[in-house]
Amino acid sequence: MKQVAADGGSRRRTPLQEIFWTRTSLLLTVLVVVAGLSLWLAGLMDPGTGKNLVTSLGTGTLISAIVGFGSTLITASASQKALVTPVIEESRRALEDLSSEYRALNKEFFPTDVFEATTDPDPAFNRALMADLNATRQYFFRGFSGRHAAARLLLSRTERELRAVIADPRDASAISGRARYLLRREAGDVDSEQIQTRLDEEIRIGLVGLFLARSRCAQVDITVVADPPLDRLELFDDSVWVSLYSDVRGATKLYPRTLRFTEGSFLYNMERAEFVRVSQSRTGRHFRITSATMRTDFLALFEKITGSPLSEEQFRELEGKFHAFRAEFSEVAELGS
């Protein structure tokens, strides 16, 4: 658009240029030539009536040329203001409106950031996501186990409300989608049963992590669903991050392609509405952890969620695994401790 404006400016003519690009210029040229020839001829003639007539003709013609030049200059300037300038201003306004509409469309439908799939955590991705997390009051997480959400919360120093939608460990179909994704990038000697056992443990570790992260939250609302979407969603006050586990192009990578959209975009509003619908659905299973939730309360809650009891010894084992995961994740993601 700058190029268009530049081209328009380069073609714009001044009133003086307008004079020499119109038919008036031909008449002015003829008058000047006639005046010059007449005065030159009068200078060669002897004094008398003939010389006076030729001199008068040259002088009158020269005056007419000068007056005509001034009149044309004034007329061209007035025409420029009356006709050309409004068209230029209207074109500029049209270009500005078009540019504003284009920027609005960009904000509405296009991501502000795109992070490609990687085998190792991308420090730039994690720093940007943590910046959004530290600036939000509400943190909506939809994923498989919630381990990463809990780890990020313990790395934060501010309090917020967390709502998490995770896979239901009591439903085998809830784990199968993630298992199929992992099978595409695992070695051939790893079978589906091994993957599902690992994923089941990740959910258990994630639940313990969310319990430990209650100190960073006003409250933790957990919804378990039997058919969680494969893509991970992390939604903040001003942005939404979508990790595309469903993208088959990044199936060989551990960390999938991730897109960031800002508040007000179509995808932000759509995902927020869908998340609220799921987290408040009457058919879902909903649980709450607060800062007042004691370990004995959590052990009972854990059994309701998973369908399996959790002893003190098993809790300490899962707690140790979660802290090991958090330390490893913080180091490779360069997030500090």
Side-chain angles (χ1 to χ4, degrees):
M1 279 180 277
K2 290 183 179 180
Q3 182 65 36
V4 172
D7 291 345
S10 64
R11 296 192 184 101
R12 205 178 300 165
R13 297 171 182 171
T14 65
L16 187 60
Q17 289 174 318
E18 289 291 339
I19 293 175
F20 291 99
W21 285 99
T22 62
R23 285 175 294 181
T24 307
S25 62
L26 178 61
L27 176 60
L28 292 176
T29 302
V30 171
L31 291 175
V32 170
V33 171
V34 170
L37 290 175
S38 298
L39 292 175
W40 174 75
L41 183 61
L44 299 178
M45 296 175 64
D46 295 329
T49 303
K51 180 175 181 178
N52 292 336
L53 289 174
V54 174
T55 301
S56 300
L57 175 63
T59 302
T61 304
L62 181 61
I63 293 173
S64 297
I66 294 173
V67 172
F69 178 82
S71 176
T72 303
L73 184 63
I74 294 172
T75 303
S77 178
S79 299
Q80 177 81 9
K81 293 179 180 179
L83 300 176
V84 180
T85 302
V87 173
I88 294 174
E89 291 300 321
E90 185 65 27
S91 299
R92 182 182 293 111
R93 283 194 296 269
L95 287 174
E96 290 175 351
D97 292 342
L98 183 61
S99 177
S100 299
E101 182 178 355
Y102 183 73
R103 285 194 297 268
L105 286 174
N106 275 347
K107 181 179 179 180
E108 187 77 8
F109 296 104
F110 293 94
T112 58
D113 300 272
V114 177
F115 297 92
E116 297 299 335
T118 59
T119 301
D120 299 313
D122 182 357
F125 160 79
N126 284 289
R127 284 194 297 269
L129 195 149
M130 287 298 295
D132 283 356
L133 173 63
N134 288 327
T136 193
R137 294 177 296 103
Q138 290 184 320
Y139 178 23
F140 293 173
F141 176 88
R142 186 193 68 206
F144 181 73
S145 67
R147 293 184 307 159
H148 289 84
R152 293 186 190 282
L153 285 170
L154 287 173
L155 291 169
S156 176
R157 295 293 182 268
T158 56
E159 184 180 77
R160 64 190 49 80
E161 175 188 344
L162 170 66
R163 297 186 188 181
V165 175
I166 61 175
D168 189 346
R170 301 174 63 175
D171 194 313
S173 63
I175 302 177
S176 60
R178 181 58 61 88
R180 288 194 300 273
Y181 171 82
L182 293 176
L183 279 171
R184 290 196 295 265
R185 58 173 299 276
E186 292 288 348
D189 59 345
V190 178
D191 60 22
S192 177
E193 186 176 350
Q194 291 175 297
I195 293 291
Q196 293 199 22
T197 300
R198 186 202 310 171
L199 292 176
D200 183 68
E201 183 179 55
E202 287 183 4
I203 295 177
R204 297 162 66 90
I205 293 173
L207 288 172
V208 172
L210 292 174
F211 169 70
L212 298 175
R214 71 193 188 286
S215 60
R216 298 287 191 270
C217 303
Q219 64 185 42
V220 178
D221 290 320
I222 302 174
T223 299
V224 294
V225 294
D227 56 345
L230 192 56
D231 295 333
R232 178 191 295 164
L233 175 78
E234 295 181 79
L235 197 148
F236 309 102
D237 291 346
D238 301 321
S239 64
V240 60
W241 296 67
V242 184
S243 299
L244 301 174
Y245 284 95
S246 59
D247 187 0
V248 295
R249 294 173 299 175
T252 59
K253 306 293 186 180
L254 179 60
Y255 300 97
R257 190 167 184 256
T258 300
L259 309 178
R260 178 186 183 273
F261 295 84
T262 57
E263 179 192 13
S265 68
F266 171 78
L267 193 134
Y268 179 95
N269 293 323
M270 180 185 69
E271 292 290 2
R272 188 181 184 92
E274 176 63 14
F275 186 95
V276 171
R277 184 191 69 81
V278 173
S279 63
Q280 295 180 354
S281 171
R282 294 182 179 180
T283 59
R285 297 203 299 139
H286 309 289
F287 307 92
R288 174 168 292 179
I289 299 173
T290 67
S291 57
T293 302
M294 307 302 293
R295 181 177 298 188
T296 53
D297 300 325
F298 173 73
L299 296 180
L301 187 67
F302 183 94
E303 184 173 359
K304 288 182 181 178
I305 296 175
T306 65
S308 303
L310 185 68
S311 65
E312 284 285 346
E313 183 180 354
Q314 290 172 322
F315 175 86
R316 287 192 295 270
E317 181 182 355
L318 292 175
E319 182 181 23
K321 289 181 178 180
F322 171 75
H323 284 306
F325 162 78
R326 179 176 62 85
E328 180 183 4
F329 172 66
S330 301
E331 181 179 356
V332 296
E334 300 181 11
L335 294 177
S337 57

